[in-house]
Amino acid sequence: LLPRFIMTIFNGTLPQVLIPAVSGTRTEESEARHRKLINNLLSVGTLVGVPAYALLIYFGPVVVKLMAPGFDGPSLKLCNELFCYAAIGVPLSFHTEVLSAYLNSRSVFALPSGAEAVRSAFVVAALVLFHKTWGIHAAVYGFFVGYVLQLLFLAVVSHRAGHRFRFHVHLRDADFRRVMASLALPTLGATVNSLPGMVQRFLASFL
């Protein structure tokens, strides 16, 4: 529940903020400013996302125990394994949204949407083809690989569109600070809207 909850918030807030912000730096100012913002977002996302993923893995057993207090033995072990694979979507979802915003600013709209559709189809295909061998693991493995492939695909397409990634962290950059400030209210709103559904699913698990 927790990784999905975080990704729902990301998917609901990042596009509406990143797309106009990234497009604005390209149309109003220089190309250098535009690429600087993208690299700053990707670099900061990596610095925050990797430790966040490590923390999710480390505290995964505690989170799973809280979310599924009735599970023990093999069931609890299975939940811990599934949680670890599902958590990869948390850091990767931010990067995919940044690259999608970059491509949209270049008037490339079909490929980011198509990449998401392919990821979803990959999960379904993995479940259909390997459910007899891997069981529920098939869907989670498909989710894990699908997210990685989606990010790699968007990275290749962005590279072909002209983006060259350079590790760059500048927290005081005006464009970066504006994007972060713009994310605050939409993120809060998405959290408030998504929280009741998460609580309902959590309570339903006791029935």
Side-chain angles (χ1 to χ4, degrees), residues 1-197:
L1 286 177
L2 184 59
R4 184 61 184 169
F5 175 70
I6 298 174
M7 285 183 287
T8 299
I9 295 173
F10 278 177
N11 295 334
T13 59
L14 292 177
Q16 62 180 301
V17 173
L18 290 177
I19 291 175
V22 172
S23 299
T25 58
R26 183 168 186 251
T27 56
E28 295 175 2
E29 298 293 342
S30 67
E31 185 73 16
R33 176 186 169 193
H34 177 64
R35 293 180 178 177
K36 179 181 177 183
L37 174 61
I38 296 297
N39 285 331
N40 205 1
L41 288 169
L42 291 174
S43 300
V44 173
T46 301
L47 286 179
V48 175
V50 172
Y53 180 60
L55 287 174
L56 283 173
I57 298 300
Y58 183 78
F59 290 105
V62 177
V63 174
V64 171
K65 193 66 177 177
L66 290 174
M67 293 291 184
F71 285 18
D72 56 8
S75 298
L76 184 61
K77 181 180 179 181
L78 175 62
C79 287
N80 286 329
E81 292 177 1
L82 299 182
F83 182 89
C84 292
Y85 281 102
I88 190 64
V90 174
L92 294 189
S93 60
F94 180 84
H95 290 72
T96 56
E97 293 296 347
V98 171
L99 292 177
S100 294
Y102 170 78
L103 290 172
N104 286 332
S105 73
R106 298 275 174 170
S107 299
V108 179
F109 304 107
L111 291 177
S113 301
E116 185 172 350
V118 170
R119 172 175 57 82
S120 300
F122 194 89
V123 176
V124 175
L127 185 58
V128 171
L129 295 175
F130 301 107
H131 72 281
K132 292 184 178 180
T133 304
W134 295 336
I136 189 61
H137 286 86
V140 181
Y141 294 160
F143 177 86
F144 180 89
V145 176
Y147 244 116
V148 173
L149 291 178
Q150 181 188 12
L151 179 60
L152 291 176
F153 174 77
L154 291 175
V156 171
V157 174
S158 298
H159 183 82
R160 291 177 63 87
H163 180 65
R164 300 295 182 268
F165 176 71
R166 298 290 184 274
F167 191 82
H168 170 81
V169 176
H170 187 192
L171 300 181
R172 296 183 178 274
D173 178 74
D175 292 320
F176 177 80
R177 291 167 67 92
R178 187 176 70 251
V179 170
M180 292 296 103
S182 300
L183 279 172
L185 288 179
T187 301
L188 178 61
T191 302
V192 172
N193 290 333
S194 302
L195 193 57

